Amino acid sequence: IYLAALLGNGLIITAVACNHRLHTPMYFFLLNLSRLDLGSISTTLPKSMASSLWDTRAISYPGYAAQLFLLVFFISADLYLLTVMTYDRYIAICKPLHYGTLLGNRACVHMAAAAWGSGFLYALLHTANTSCIPLCQGNALDQFFCEIPQILKLSCSDSDLREVGLLILSCFLAFVNFVVSYVQIFRAVLRIPSEQGWHKAFSTCLPHLAMVSLYVRTGVFAYLKPPSIFSPFLDVVVSFLYTVVPPAVDPLIYSMRNKEIRDAL
């Protein structure tokens, strides 16, 4: 899976960077998405594979902090960028005549930089907040990487309530952003008179919506599920779905179905 993710995302980055026909807003955002996908899957799987090969489950405290920060950074920046890509599809479908004006080169760079910067600040906040939580129930996590919900289980104070509140607020804002954008998109699509136009619009939006839905639903379940639902196996499966599956599947969804990318490759 890791090699497939490296190959798929590496091919997208190479194709978009080397082919001037793909220097458009949609592919610029796709290029950034591939970079973030490479970062997120490289934060978890290599360490897990090394631990399996050397039969060890240990990780140093600096390694834990680095993995926690990088994972939150890449995944949150990924979600912010998916929001930007939703806006790109909204402009392309609902305001096609203004597409070049609203999504010029400078605007695209600013939106991508905002996604990366917001992810960095969000990860910094979570890492600092989690590192301040006192742990009194050992230091063993039932997970193949350092995940915030697993760390909160080891806490023995009420200070983790701030972390839970921040997670709830973040999930709510992400959900509202996507719902508002896609309501506008679907309203515009339903006004298209031809079935061919419907098919083209939905074939563009539905894969994107499916990946966003997978991210949000599995992330919300992993971070906000009630304590009564306790299953180490379920925790691992859900974490696998939001940390490993999207980076490996995104190249197929966003590019291999796209004729321009196939021609460039």
Side-chain angles (χ1 to χ4, degrees):
I1 292 174
Y2 184 57
L3 290 177
L6 289 181
L7 177 63
N9 288 290
L11 286 174
I12 291 177
I13 293 172
T14 304
V16 175
C18 297
N19 193 313
H20 67 90
R21 294 182 180 178
L22 301 182
H23 292 176
T24 62
M26 182 176 71
Y27 295 112
F28 172 74
F29 295 136
L30 182 61
L31 172 70
N32 282 272
L33 182 68
S34 294
R35 290 171 175 172
L36 290 170
D37 283 343
L38 281 179
S40 64
I41 198 170
S42 297
T43 302
T44 57
L45 283 193
K47 173 61 179 174
S48 180
M49 290 188 291
S51 298
S52 177
L53 289 173
W54 289 315
D55 195 23
T56 175
R57 299 185 64 183
I59 185 171
S60 65
Y61 186 81
Y64 140 79
Q67 189 178 70
L68 181 65
F69 172 80
L70 290 174
L71 185 65
V72 176
F73 165 55
F74 285 121
I75 288 183
S76 58
D78 213 324
L79 281 171
Y80 292 135
L81 191 66
L82 287 171
T83 305
V84 171
M85 293 175 72
T86 304
Y87 176 72
D88 168 72
R89 292 299 86 204
Y90 166 73
I91 297 299
I93 293 173
C94 302
K95 301 181 180 180
L97 298 180
H98 298 178
Y99 187 80
T101 304
L102 296 175
L103 290 175
N105 291 337
R106 180 174 295 182
C108 291
V109 171
H110 287 171
M111 286 190 285
W116 285 81
S118 300
F120 178 85
L121 294 176
Y122 186 72
L124 195 64
L125 178 63
H126 271 296
T127 305
N129 196 35
T130 306
S131 299
C132 296
I133 296 175
L135 307 179
C136 63
Q137 301 183 37
N139 59 358
L141 304 178
D142 293 325
Q143 192 55 272
F144 64 96
F145 63 95
C146 297
E147 187 184 38
I148 292 177
Q150 298 295 328
I151 297 169
L152 295 181
K153 287 181 181 179
L154 306 179
S155 173
C156 53
S157 73
D158 294 331
S159 58
D160 61 341
L161 293 178
R162 294 175 302 175
E163 184 71 16
V164 174
L166 184 59
L167 290 170
I168 293 174
L169 178 62
S170 304
C171 293
F172 175 75
L173 292 176
F175 179 75
V176 168
N177 281 334
F178 290 119
V179 167
V180 170
S181 298
Y182 270 102
V183 165
Q184 296 295 327
I185 289 174
F186 288 142
R187 285 177 59 188
V189 169
L190 293 176
R191 289 197 295 264
I192 297 176
S194 66
E195 283 191 21
Q196 185 177 3
W198 282 19
H199 176 73
K200 183 177 181 181
F202 279 124
S203 66
T204 302
C205 295
L206 289 181
H208 177 78
L209 183 59
M211 292 311 301
V212 170
S213 177
L214 176 65
Y215 253 130
V216 174
R217 285 187 299 168
T218 54
V220 167
F221 183 83
Y223 282 72
L224 303 179
K225 73 177 185 297
S228 58
I229 304 177
F230 176 73
S231 170
F233 176 75
L234 182 62
D235 289 343
V236 171
V237 170
V238 171
S239 299
F240 183 85
L241 287 177
Y242 81 86
T243 59
V244 177
V245 171
V249 176
D250 277 349
L252 294 175
I253 288 182
Y254 289 111
S255 62
M256 300 313 172
R257 299 172 65 254
N258 188 302
K259 186 177 184 302
E260 292 179 326
I261 287 284
R262 291 201 304 269
D263 291 343
L265 291 174

